[in-house]
Amino acid sequence: MTAFEEPVPVIVGVENTDAARIAVLWAAGEAARRGLRLRLVHALDWPVGAEHDPDMRKPWETWSGIFRRSGQQTLEEARTLALGTHPGLDITELLVDGEPDAVMREQAANAAMVVLGSRRLSSIRELMTTGGIAVPVAAHATCPVVIVRDREHVEDDPGTVVVGVDGSRVSERAVAFAFEEASLRGATVLAVQVRPFFASPVVGAVTNAEEVEEGRIRLAETLAGWSEKYPDVPVRRQVVLGHPVHTLVQASEQALCVVVGTRGLGGFKGMLLGSVGHGLVHHARCPVVVVPRERD
């Protein structure tokens, strides 16, 4: 970024739902912590250009005007909500024609992060309706995407930022985000490595012990250097035998947020984030931060 370029904003998708309002509050706090502008975006999922049909001009214009006024009111209410918690925040509003997932993916191209509220759809409903945009946006965005299913847990002091670590380059980027977030919040990082559990009484005891040791090695390798870069951030390490989604969901029950990486490989919606990311979007008990892989 040059001296003449503005810093990229924190972007939040705005709707007239409770989930979206929680997301606005989360995004406002994040923009304030990072000293960034907050951009409120409402996607007007209305047939673009429909009002130009000469045979239906007046009815289309009437309904289009109603939708636009409603969208603008939703943005204004979100602005009031954000300023109520952070009065000095720099906020812009954007009303955009288009489908919500396409609009938010386009906005993500020039954002510090994108924040979305979850409508708590089941996996099947998300696959079958246009209501769930979290998965496609998180899978294809080039910036971190935050899906706010539940409010963050602020009862503990200091709070905890949970990060899933699997030893890949993708999880290294998730670790980087987690340490930065914890530093900004005065929180602790809980780094979790989940290894497979072998139930066989013949080989289980030895193999499980080896898995735990391998997990400790992977955690040490991935976290090397981060404590030196962020000496203010306490770190806890946890190696668990079991399923990653179940383990991270449990950890999310007392967390400010849970951070995971995604390779963004594309494909069917259910596989866009991989099983871990997709499972957390639907079941985590705190905001989920999905950090993308580096693009070529």
Side-chain angles (χ1 to χ4, degrees), residues 244-260:
V245 174
H246 177 72
T247 300
L248 292 173
V249 166
Q250 283 190 318
S252 75
E253 292 178 356
Q254 300 298 325
L256 296 171
C257 61
V258 56
V259 188
V260 293

Side-chain angles (χ1 to χ4, degrees), residues 279-292:
L280 287 174
V281 166
H282 292 291
H283 300 293
R285 302 304 181 192
C286 70
V288 177
V289 184
V290 180
V291 181

